[in-house]
Amino acid sequence: MLREMQWVSYADNLGVEIRQCETEGKDVTGYYEKAVQLRKQGLPFEQAEIEAMKLHDELAGLPIREDFGFVEPSGLSAIQKECELSPPLAEYRASKEEAYDKIYGAWLGRCCGCLLGQPIEGYDRGYIVGLLKDTGNYPVSYYISSDIPRELREKYEIVDEGKIYGSNTVNWINNVNYMPEDDDTNYTLIALKVMEEKGYDFTPEDVAEIWLDCLPYGHVCSAERIAYRNFVNVIAPPESASFRNPYREWIGAQIRSDLFGYVTPGNPAYGAELAWRDASISHTKNGIYGAMFVAAMLSAAAVSEDIEEIIRLGLAQIPRRSRLYGKIMETLDNRRKYTSWEQAIEAVHQEYDEDSTQDENHISFDWCHTISNAVIVTAALLYGNGSLEQSLGIAISAGFDTDCNGATVGSVIGMIKGAKKLPQKWTAPLKDQIKSGVDGMGLVKISEIAARTAAVMEKNEKNKVMEEQ
């Protein structure tokens, strides 16, 4: 199959769609059997796609069970009505230097976490912890290198041409001269472009337009690739998010939302609103909530250093009767139940399946879903004690979507601390450069991108930025 066909084949996506509908509270009795039967028929590709489309549409029309117990709207006003009253937050006031340092720290932290998790994305926790322990890097104290003894390279299948899901040998720290391209950072850059070109009044349609202009189709995957396909087929937001999109609650929107928190310091509700405008082009329900949760946390992190307060301020921006809200609250409550982060992460593994492979006997789903990964982000923040190193170590040692979770955790810690307080051993290897697939942002300085972000932030009169005295 052509690389560009990955994620968009209706027949290949059918199992994920059934699993998605099941988690949304639909009765999918008989549909797994229908999917298996379709596969067994061995129809020509075009005919199989037609039959699969019919099943996708049938599934879309199924009602939510009356006993489902969750209320999960996708529209902004409906979401806001379902939210709890937001806790009070101290007023944001910062000098230009302080504001820039916070934003630069968030950019650096995001890059550090993403880079740490890149080489092990797609591998399970056993592989990751085994590699870390065998290389003397557990608990994590530095990036992961392929410069290890031959027997370990063979044991962990680290070969010269690269055997890493979604990446290649450049992502090992011994081969890095800048922050390599990754969708986690592409999306943060494209969000900056949206804010620079469209301002604070940007619409979901503006986001879709800039994607088409500046972000190549081959650089996106899962829900974003489906949305992209829908755009070019003249299916506009919000329908672009839901039409035959089985990945609509996957992690994509959650990893796109950081910048909207960067430019709304001290105003989690506004950060969440901007994140909704972006997320709604490709995601629904909890897929959207993950984006709003992260953006709101970053808005709060510009003002507060209290991790639990930051998490609760993020939670206040998502529906209190949603699955995501319930699982994040459970993680907060378990902080008293599980005294170590290993216990907390083990609980995640007891509930969710981290296996990222997919065949006719297994449906890859939880490893890249918003909820499972948001729980890991929350646990890493709670047990990381405000330390970049400890927090990132927990995030990537947990398995699941390692680079995404590392990036989000690093972003929050970087915003709290600011660039000047981040350890040089983590930031120096980046050499203040980031590569991307975004048009006009091929290889750029992270410090310059941070300055551009600060300039956007200053244009919002809600943000009180003072001239240096």
Side-chain angles (χ1 to χ4, degrees), residues 108-406:
L108 287 172
R110 183 159 188 78
C111 291
C112 291
C114 184
L115 180 57
L116 176 62
Q118 275 185 346
I120 51 173
E121 181 187 14
Y123 283 89
D124 63 32
R125 186 184 177 201
Y127 174 100
I128 295 167
V129 173
L131 174 61
L132 293 171
K133 286 183 174 180
D134 282 353
T135 54
N137 195 15
Y138 188 86
V140 172
S141 60
Y142 195 58
Y143 292 106
I144 304 171
S145 174
S146 65
D147 186 15
I148 56 180
R150 182 179 182 85
E151 60 269 21
L152 289 181
R153 291 176 64 85
E154 292 175 351
K155 178 179 179 180
Y156 293 101
E157 299 180 302
I158 300 171
V159 293
D160 291 338
E161 64 270 21
K163 189 178 185 298
I164 298 298
Y165 174 89
S167 63
N168 53 49
T169 53
V170 74
N171 304 92
W172 301 105
I173 191 60
N174 47 299
N175 295 319
V176 165
N177 291 308
Y178 47 76
M179 175 63 210
E181 181 185 352
D182 193 278
D183 57 351
D184 293 272
T185 46
N186 278 347
Y187 290 134
T188 320
L189 289 165
I190 203 79
L192 174 59
K193 188 176 280 282
V194 168
M195 295 297 299
E196 287 180 328
E197 295 188 9
K198 303 296 183 178
Y200 283 84
D201 294 327
F202 76 88
T203 65
E205 290 78 12
D206 289 331
V207 178
E209 176 187 313
I210 289 180
W211 278 27
L212 291 170
D213 285 345
C214 303
L215 189 61
Y217 174 78
H219 291 244
V220 300
C221 59
S222 63
E224 287 73 20
R225 188 168 289 189
I226 299 291
Y228 211 120
R229 178 189 65 191
N230 286 337
F231 300 155
V232 298
N233 282 299
V234 202
I235 300 173
E239 287 76 16
S240 55
S242 57
F243 184 70
R244 296 174 183 164
N245 184 356
Y247 306 105
R248 56 191 175 270
E249 284 195 323
W250 278 30
I251 200 174
Q254 183 166 287
I255 68 173
R256 302 201 316 253
S257 64
D258 291 51
L259 189 116
F260 305 116
Y262 296 173
V263 300
T264 56
N267 194 340
Y270 197 24
E273 178 188 335
L274 298 184
W276 176 89
R277 294 186 219 163
D278 175 89
S280 63
I281 73 172
S282 57
H283 286 71
T284 64
K285 300 181 181 180
N286 293 273
I288 292 175
Y289 310 155
M292 299 177 76
F293 172 62
V294 169
M297 282 201 296
L298 281 157
S299 297
V303 174
S304 175
E305 296 184 2
D306 184 322
I307 294 294
E308 185 164 335
E309 179 184 36
I310 290 167
I311 293 169
R312 291 188 182 278
L313 284 159
L315 268 180
Q317 302 307 320
I318 67 173
R320 64 191 182 282
R321 291 187 286 178
S322 66
R323 285 166 282 149
L324 179 60
Y325 184 98
K327 288 303 173 185
I328 300 300
M329 281 298 299
E330 184 179 306
T331 307
L332 283 166
D333 292 340
N334 284 344
R335 181 69 176 90
R336 297 159 185 83
K337 179 180 179 182
Y338 302 126
T339 56
S340 72
W341 68 263
E342 287 95 342
Q343 291 174 320
I345 295 304
E346 181 58 31
V348 177
H349 283 262
Q350 291 299 316
E351 184 164 5
Y352 299 104
D353 178 8
E354 69 170 331
D355 189 353
S356 62
T357 61
Q358 183 170 328
D359 56 40
E360 62 183 7
N361 298 313
H362 180 267
I363 298 168
S364 175
F365 187 78
D366 292 346
W367 87 277
C368 207
H369 197 273
T370 291
I371 296 175
S372 52
N373 287 285
V375 168
I376 289 171
V377 166
T378 303
L381 290 170
L382 285 172
Y383 290 87
N385 299 314
S387 161
L388 179 68
E389 185 168 299
Q390 290 182 45
S391 302
L392 294 186
I394 296 169
I396 67 101
S397 298
F400 290 82
D401 203 332
T402 51
D403 62 332
C404 292
N405 296 335

Side-chain angles (χ1 to χ4, degrees), residues 452-464:
R452 287 167 60 175
T453 306
V456 170
M457 186 269 290
E458 290 171 17
K459 292 179 181 178
N460 177 13
E461 60 184 22
K462 297 179 183 179
N463 302 326
K464 295 187 177 181

Side-chain angles (χ1 to χ4, degrees), residues 5-20:
M5 291 293 291
Q6 187 180 10
W7 308 109
V8 295
S9 165
Y10 295 111
D12 287 349
N13 286 343
L14 193 52
V16 179
E17 173 62 34
I18 297 168
R19 179 82 170 87
Q20 173 61 44

